[in-house]
Amino acid sequence: MAYRRRRQRRRRNKARVERGLMDRSNPLETMSEESVFARYRFRPDTILFIVSLIVGQLRRETARSCPLPPLTQVLVSLRFLATGGFCSLIADTYRSISASSVYRSIRDFCGAFVPLAHRFIKMPADTDTCKSMFYKIAGFPNVLGCVDGTFIRITAPSKDEGDYVNRKGFHSLNVQMICDAQFRVTNCVAKWPGSVHDSRIFRDSKISLAFENGTYKGLLLGDSGYPCKSYLMTPYLSPANRAQERFNRSQTKTRVLIEQTFGILKRRFSCLHSGLRMSPKRACDVIVTSVILHNIGIARQDVFNVHYDDCNDDKFTDQVADELTGTNVRNYLCQAYFT
């Protein structure tokens, strides 16, 4: 038996393996602009800008083989973000790339982008313009952003698996974001398991401390899952008069921007909608990278055209008790602007 196996092994080793040419053509040169956008969610100019941001981190200096060029790594990663497909399926579209190379490209791509979060995800510098744009929506004054959380589905982790089961019964991360009036994400907290409540995430976030200390002079709008604070306005649970009804109508019409932002983000990067088959740590990197790319697209006017009315990502939230100072500020705004 052993002799027969050795003979078979020698025959396999002697068999000639035909080596094919490696097809690494540049899709940006062979595809139309519309085709590039449909496959990678960005137009060629924006893709080249993305490459320029992280080319140093993706370049692999080696003399042993032919490493993947940074452009190919970026295209592979963008394809994953746009489709959420398996690495093997994405590798099939590139005949010269293996599934393991696809995985490493995605890992390195996201690892290079996460340190750039402070550059592309930040509160608006021109607060007056931001407040004016929010006021034009439904007449709600002094608004700097809308805050909410969204569930990003992940596979069941091997550690603390129960903490990641959300109220809907599936494993996820609960990601908090704040957006401005142009659907730009100005703050993102991606690290909490799906079972953690929105109010807990906000209470322990740095942005909450910044508003508490007076770093930002303005208001945030949230749903009833957040406590009403002096800087965080939530709707009246049981409006008692017409002024409170108008307050709720204006607050809801303005706050819906964060739900639409979630919808736009998940439609552009389908991996966030279908789910991430990776560890929570890797999933957080993918989420932050997607938010950075979302903001880059808005800044470069390379946007994903969708119907905003179909992009609501609203989810049921438990009601949280309001604070006295927040209730007083809400009553003042109601009487001053909505009577």
Side-chain angles (χ1 to χ4, degrees), residues 90 110 125 138 152 218 310:
I90 298 176
C110 296
I152 304 296
D310 299 333

Side-chain angles (χ1 to χ4, degrees), residues 41-42 45-54 78 109 113 116 119-121 183-185 265 268-269 288-303:
R41 295 299 191 265
F42 291 100
D45 291 344
T46 305
I47 292 177
L48 293 178
F49 173 76
I50 292 171
V51 174
S52 67
L53 293 174
I54 56 175
L78 292 179
F109 176 81
F113 254 105
L116 301 178
R119 176 177 171 184
F120 294 100
I121 306 177
F183 306 104
R184 183 185 294 106
V185 178
L265 188 64
R268 185 165 203 165
F269 305 111
V288 174
T289 301
S290 300
V291 172
I292 295 173
L293 295 174
H294 168 80
N295 286 352
I296 290 176
I298 293 177
R300 296 180 61 86
Q301 298 183 352
D302 194 355
V303 296

